[in-house]
Amino acid sequence: MKRNLQYILPLFLFALAACNNNKEMNNSKSDNALVFPKGEKITNDNFTGTTYLHMLIAADSLNATSIGNVTFEPGARTKWHSHPGGQILLVTDGVGYYQEKGQPKKILRKGDAIKCPPNVPHWHGASADAAFVQVAVTNNDKGTVVWMEKVTDAVYNSLNQ
Ligand code: MN
């Protein structure tokens, strides 16, 4: 018994330390730890669920690129839509989904970057269980976003690939 303890005790202490470490990391993760501000709640009809937008860069006559930080609470997502000049999504936190029409849904995680080709209908949003934060870099050279129908629960809940 004493001999077993010799092996088990260090393992137990190590596990305890790992748990504490994890707890500290979770506790320190407040809104302040996020790279960009969360911004204001989006109130228009182009999203399902609760979403927030902080515009970082607005398009202007010299540069047609707009950059916005979008936060999706679990289950929240855009409607189907397309961008005439395409879009790039940079994932800064959480777990989310991206799907192009006719393609399987992809899982996006913090650190992922994805390119939405011009005029391809798609949607993006949070996973069912975790929030999702993305920086959307949109080229408005050829026009702004074209909104389509809502993403149904059946599509949203379809199997991931
Ligand atoms: Mn998009």
Side-chain angles (χ1 to χ4, degrees), residues 23-86:
K23 213 191 279 176
E24 271 168 34
M25 279 175 69
N26 287 336
N27 284 345
S28 68
K29 193 174 173 183
S30 65
D31 277 359
N32 293 335
L34 294 172
V35 180
F36 299 113
K38 193 170 179 179
E40 302 297 320
K41 204 167 177 173
I42 298 175
T43 55
N44 67 47
D45 194 32
N46 298 321
F47 296 78
T48 298
T50 306
T51 52
Y52 297 83
L53 169 68
H54 177 75
M55 228 28 212
L56 293 162
I57 301 287
D60 60 34
S61 59
L62 295 178
N63 189 332
T65 304
S66 62
I67 305 180
N69 187 49
V70 189
T71 301
F72 298 81
E73 289 191 351
R77 67 260 194 184
T78 66
K79 280 183 172 176
W80 286 99
H81 64 280
S82 63
H83 307 279

Side-chain angles (χ1 to χ4, degrees), residues 3-149:
R3 195 169 167 177
N4 279 343
L5 209 63
Q6 193 180 350
Y7 294 102
I8 291 168
L9 192 63
L11 265 180
F12 174 75
L13 289 176
F14 177 77
L16 198 68
C19 282
N20 267 338
N21 211 0
N22 218 349
K23 213 191 279 176
E24 271 168 34
M25 279 175 69
N26 287 336
N27 284 345
S28 68
K29 193 174 173 183
S30 65
D31 277 359
N32 293 335
L34 294 172
V35 180
F36 299 113
K38 193 170 179 179
E40 302 297 320
K41 204 167 177 173
I42 298 175
T43 55
N44 67 47
D45 194 32
N46 298 321
F47 296 78
T48 298
T50 306
T51 52
Y52 297 83
L53 169 68
H54 177 75
M55 228 28 212
L56 293 162
I57 301 287
D60 60 34
S61 59
L62 295 178
N63 189 332
T65 304
S66 62
I67 305 180
N69 187 49
V70 189
T71 301
F72 298 81
E73 289 191 351
R77 67 260 194 184
T78 66
K79 280 183 172 176
W80 286 99
H81 64 280
S82 63
H83 307 279
Q87 183 179 56
I88 291 164
L89 302 175
L90 307 173
V91 183
T92 58
D93 203 26
V95 183
Y97 301 141
Y98 170 81
Q99 184 176 26
E100 293 176 0
K101 206 93 179 181
Q103 299 295 320
K105 189 171 72 178
K106 287 180 181 164
I107 297 182
L108 298 180
R109 293 187 175 82
K110 181 177 180 178
D112 285 343
I114 197 157
K115 192 183 264 183
C116 325
N119 297 314
V120 171
H122 66 278
W123 64 271
H124 26 112
S127 61
D129 302 322
F132 177 63
V133 186
Q134 55 158 58
V135 173
V137 182
T138 310
N139 179 353
N140 303 288
D141 248 347
K142 299 174 182 70
T144 55
V145 56
V146 179
W147 291 107
M148 298 161 191
E149 72 276 14

